[in-house]
Amino acid sequence: MTEATGGAARVTPPPATPDKRKSVTGTRKAIAVGFLLPALVLLGALVVYPIGFSVYRSFFDKSGSGFAGFDNYVSLFTSDTILTAIKNNLIWVVVAPTVATALGLIFAVLTERVRWGTAFKLVVFMPMAISMLASGIIFRLVYEQDPDRGVANAVWVGVHDTFAESSGFPKARPLPVHPLKKADGGAYVTKQPVEVGRQVNLPLIGVAPAQMPKDAQRAKAPATDPGKVTGTAWLDFTKGGGGKPNSIDPKESGLKGIKIEAVKDGKVVDSTEAAADGSFSLSAKADGAELRLPAGNFREQYNGVNWLGPSVVTPAIIGSYVWMWAGFAMVLIAAGLASLPRELLEAARVDGANEWQVFRRITVPLLAPVLAVVLVTLMINVLKIFDLVFIIAPGDSLDDANVLALQLYQSSFGDDADLGIGSAIAVFLLLLVIPVMLFNIRRMRKEQGR
């Protein structure tokens, strides 16, 4: 078949027959299947088969030889340990993605307005380059109880000591032969009332050298005063041995700053603090009173919060997760923020909207699709959280910080492994993830349809 075009003849091939079209289509399908086959085989071997076998195994007992029906699934909601894991997973799903997404949104919006925004984004995103294992080790050290080792408690104790007076002699106490006896609430009082014009000895022991005031001086008894009660509070201990109880020996130091109160009929009539050499004096009001060393002198030193204790271990671990993933949320939200139509924001400002109104009424609604992506991604991620909990939580708090992925590992590979319950937990986790995945797929299709 020929056609004349501008004096030249062009030969047009005859239309393809149906058999040829089917042959070409079949060849293309065969090539596509050939390329997809390795991936399908891997998908079936690594995903489909394990899921199917886990569902099958969840209906059998611990040994795998006896059919257990739904007993393993009933155990999920009757075992206290697994119920704790479910409760903690619920806390994780609600708190961690919400806080990480909110921080990512705040960081993304604020870094648009500062000149060093790129550097700030780099610093915030940097934890994403660290593995969960390394992050867990880092935060295990951050949450150490000892303020000299744990950063969190070092900061917390520093803030506390700024606003609250700390005790100078937490373990100080008198000997039985001393003229002091124990009173209510951890205080110590003199065994006999005191009189003006007479010396009063207030010796104590049990103060470590490191806890002694650095400017404490050698203990010395003050001169008597006929109109005052005078005395000495000192550490009745001679380094290297020797010395006599109730007697100020040459190598013994004064308890500088220790508080002394004169108490009559349950009321404080006078008070003072010991000088660097331990000496003190009270007015004539103290005549006939008991001298009391208040319990505040002997409070245990504040060591901060037990971050990895049973009550706060889960929030502490969530904090480490947010530290890692807030940068991920910030980068995605910043990308969405960069694509917003600036004319809408400027128009709102021209119409008189302040920055908060622009953020709440325009920026956040326009970023809703991006925020949904970030939130759903983090929700799926926290449902599988394992590494941080396993590494950060100490052995005595591991049950209190338990989550489903960790319980899956312990039930399947622990000391008393029960693969039936482990498989049931795995299926339960899959059932929890599927609705979130379906929501994400529907949302993505809706976005593509626009």
Side-chain angles (χ1 to χ4, degrees):
M1 185 175 180
T2 60
E3 293 180 3
T5 55
R10 182 168 63 86
V11 179
T12 304
T17 62
D19 291 339
K20 286 185 178 180
R21 290 176 183 170
K22 289 181 181 179
S23 175
V24 172
T25 304
T27 302
R28 290 176 177 174
K29 286 183 178 179
I31 293 172
V33 170
F35 278 107
L36 290 174
L37 189 59
L40 292 175
V41 170
L42 287 174
L43 186 67
L46 300 179
V47 178
V48 177
Y49 172 74
I51 291 175
F53 182 77
S54 295
V55 174
Y56 168 79
R57 184 64 179 83
S58 68
F59 292 105
F60 286 83
D61 60 11
K62 182 177 180 179
S63 64
S65 57
F67 184 73
F70 288 95
D71 290 349
N72 292 324
Y73 291 96
V74 172
S75 297
L76 300 185
F77 301 99
T78 55
S79 168
D80 291 338
T81 303
I82 301 177
L83 282 174
T84 300
I86 294 173
K87 180 194 73 174
N88 286 339
N89 258 104
L90 180 62
I91 295 173
W92 271 91
V93 168
V94 172
V95 176
T98 304
V99 174
T101 304
L103 284 177
L105 176 62
I106 293 170
F107 290 156
V109 171
L110 293 182
T111 49
E112 274 204 332
R113 299 179 172 276
V114 293
R115 298 177 62 183
W116 38 269
T118 303
F120 180 82
K121 288 178 182 177
L122 177 64
V123 172
V124 175
F125 186 75
M126 198 175 294
M128 285 296 298
I130 305 173
S131 68
M132 285 279 197
L133 173 65
S135 297
I137 294 172
I138 290 170
F139 274 88
R140 181 65 183 269
L141 295 174
V142 167
Y143 291 136
E144 275 282 350
Q145 177 71 32
D146 185 356
D148 293 331
R149 298 177 61 190
V151 176
N153 262 343
V155 174
W156 193 263
V157 170
V159 173
H160 175 274
D161 289 348
T162 301
F163 297 99
E165 185 180 357
S166 60
S167 165
F169 313 102
K171 295 184 179 180
R173 64 192 184 280
L175 286 171
V177 296
H178 284 161
L180 290 165
K181 63 181 180 180
K182 193 167 186 178
D184 295 336
Y188 295 101
V189 298
T190 53
K191 296 176 182 177
Q192 301 293 332
V194 297
E195 298 176 7
V196 293
R198 297 187 63 178
Q199 289 284 342
V200 181
N201 289 338
L202 301 177
L204 294 172
I205 62 166
V207 183
Q211 292 173 331
M212 286 294 291
K214 294 181 180 180
D215 53 350
Q217 299 175 6
R218 186 168 63 85
K220 182 177 65 174
T224 58
D225 188 325
K228 293 183 179 180
V229 174
T230 58
T232 308
W234 81 98
L235 179 62
D236 194 12
F237 172 79
T238 301
K239 189 175 181 181
K244 296 180 180 180
N246 291 330
S247 176
I248 300 175
D249 296 304
K251 294 183 179 179
E252 294 174 349
S253 301
L255 297 174
K256 180 189 176 184
I258 195 167
K259 190 172 182 179
I260 302 145
E261 296 176 341
V263 181
K264 279 185 181 180
D265 301 325
K267 295 180 180 180
V268 177
V269 295
D270 199 4
S271 65
T272 187
E273 290 185 359
D277 59 2
S279 61
F280 66 89
S281 66
L282 294 163
S283 67
K285 295 178 183 178
D287 186 37
E290 292 180 333
L291 296 193
R292 180 173 65 186
L293 302 179
N297 291 313
F298 313 111
R299 269 197 318 266
E300 286 292 331
Q301 187 176 4
Y302 182 70
N303 287 319
V305 179
N306 185 9
W307 298 104
L308 300 181
S311 57
V312 294
V313 62
T314 295
I317 300 174
I318 290 176
S320 65
Y321 178 89
V322 170
W323 176 77
M324 287 190 66
W325 287 86
F328 166 82
M330 178 195 66
V331 169
L332 291 188
I333 295 171
L337 198 59
S339 64
L340 293 184
R342 299 295 166 175
E343 57 272 13
L344 289 179
L345 305 179
E346 294 302 325
R349 293 187 181 101
V350 169
D351 288 341
N354 56 38
E355 292 301 321
W356 169 246
Q357 290 172 326
V358 171
F359 173 77
R360 186 165 60 92
R361 299 292 182 87
I362 298 177
T363 304
V364 172
L366 290 176
L367 284 175
V370 179
L371 296 176
V373 169
V374 174
L375 197 61
V376 171
T377 303
L378 293 180
M379 288 175 67
I380 295 173
N381 186 268
V382 298
L383 281 171
K384 304 178 293 180
I385 194 69
F386 167 81
D387 321 54
L388 287 177
V389 180
F390 184 70
I391 296 166
I392 295 177
D396 56 348
S397 297
L398 196 58
D399 288 343
D400 298 284
N402 200 13
V403 289
L404 284 172
L406 178 59
Q407 185 60 43
L408 167 61
Y409 168 78
Q410 291 176 329
S411 296
S412 302
F413 309 108
D415 296 333
D416 189 23
D418 187 336
L419 290 177
I421 291 180
S423 299
I425 295 173
V427 174
F428 182 61
L429 262 177
L430 177 65
L431 293 176
L432 291 177
V433 171
I434 285 176
V436 183
M437 293 178 63
L438 291 177
F439 170 79
N440 206 26
I441 292 171
R442 287 186 60 188
R443 187 199 55 75
M444 291 175 65
R445 286 179 176 174
K446 192 178 292 185
E447 288 295 321
Q448 290 176 355
R450 292 178 183 178

